[in-house]
Amino acid sequence: MAREALVGGTLAGYQIRSMVGEGGTSAVYRADHPTHGTVALKVLREKLRTDRTAVARFVREAQYGGRVVHPNVVRTIEIREAPLAPPDGVPPSAAPATPLHFLAIEWAGGDILEKYAKRNCPLPLDEVSRIVGQIADAVQAAHDAGIVHRDLKPENVMYDPATGQVKLLDFGIATAADQGADERLTRAGFFVGTLMYVAPEALSGELVTAAADQYS
């Protein structure tokens, strides 16, 4: 079933309204829920549903994101597996035969910081100060919870210029600060993150500390 074909369907009570983005491992949808209101749904790609490492990373994202509770961090609502009820007019046989792995998180208004900055650069210094200060608060909250984000970049920050609020996103490759080498989901000698923002020590695949986020 095409990713776009999920739109209009229902997943564990979440009515999927539109697809808003996609990455290498998941697609993101805007959805409505009778209790949680408007949320963002991250749905694991079909080809990765049987990949143990991909599923483990997906679950870990929810676990780590749920540990960080702060006004400048998107709130994790739940992670589940559920069958898709297809949109009206689509036969049930067209829906995925197996349950979908999905993560429901708070819907953050505004725009991706990278897009906002490119459209409006150069930004006023006082606005830059407010943005950077809130990102720093979000990162501190993660570190206080024992989580290293490992992928800090403007693409993983939502910014609402109307309210001035920042929300840190995406704990998909985060790690626990006290995680041992035997718990790693990344092979030694490989790095995860984005080259433009990654800390030098991460390039060799070393276990990184909170300093890597500060570098980013």
Side-chain angles (χ1 to χ4, degrees), residues 97-201:
T98 57
L100 301 178
H101 296 272
F102 74 90
L103 169 62
I105 60 176
E106 171 190 6
W107 179 262
D111 202 355
I112 297 292
L113 179 59
E114 182 187 49
K115 295 180 180 178
Y116 176 82
K118 285 182 176 178
R119 284 198 313 267
N120 297 280
C121 64
L123 300 180
L125 289 179
D126 59 341
E127 185 176 26
V128 172
S129 178
R130 289 194 300 270
I131 291 171
V132 173
Q134 291 180 74
I135 294 173
D137 288 343
V139 171
Q140 185 65 60
H143 294 172
D144 289 346
I147 301 299
V148 181
H149 189 280
R150 293 206 298 179
D151 201 19
L152 281 175
K153 57 184 178 181
E155 289 177 281
N156 283 338
V157 176
M158 288 293 294
Y159 175 59
D160 188 346
T163 63
Q165 187 172 44
V166 161
K167 292 277 188 177
L168 178 62
L169 310 170
D170 201 343
F171 285 80
I173 61 171
T175 186
D178 59 354
Q179 185 181 71
D182 59 336
E183 300 175 282
R184 294 170 55 160
L185 292 174
T186 304
R187 286 182 294 167
F190 288 79
F191 84 93
V192 293
T194 303
L195 187 59
M196 187 178 294
Y197 300 95
V198 71
E201 65 270 23

Side-chain angles (χ1 to χ4, degrees), residues 31-128:
D32 293 325
H33 188 275
T35 302
H36 304 305
T38 300
V39 304
L41 283 187
K42 293 187 70 171
V43 181
L44 190 66
R45 288 189 182 279
E46 183 175 3
K47 65 182 180 181
L48 297 177
R49 286 182 214 149
T50 58
D51 185 320
R52 291 184 179 181
T53 300
V55 172
R57 284 198 178 105
F58 198 70
V59 171
R60 185 168 286 184
E61 174 179 2
Q63 294 172 337
Y64 288 170
R67 284 169 56 175
V68 187
V69 180
H70 189 273
N72 295 122
V73 178
V74 292
R75 179 171 56 90
T76 297
I77 298 170
E78 64 173 330
I79 185 168
R80 289 180 61 181
E81 290 180 66
L84 177 76
D88 293 340
V90 177
S93 59
T98 57
L100 301 178
H101 296 272
F102 74 90
L103 169 62
I105 60 176
E106 171 190 6
W107 179 262
D111 202 355
I112 297 292
L113 179 59
E114 182 187 49
K115 295 180 180 178
Y116 176 82
K118 285 182 176 178
R119 284 198 313 267
N120 297 280
C121 64
L123 300 180
L125 289 179
D126 59 341
E127 185 176 26
V128 172

Side-chain angles (χ1 to χ4, degrees), residues 3-4 19-29 45:
R3 294 185 293 279
E4 294 81 359
M19 190 172 84
V20 296
E22 58 182 331
T25 60
S26 60
V28 182
Y29 300 85
R45 288 189 182 279

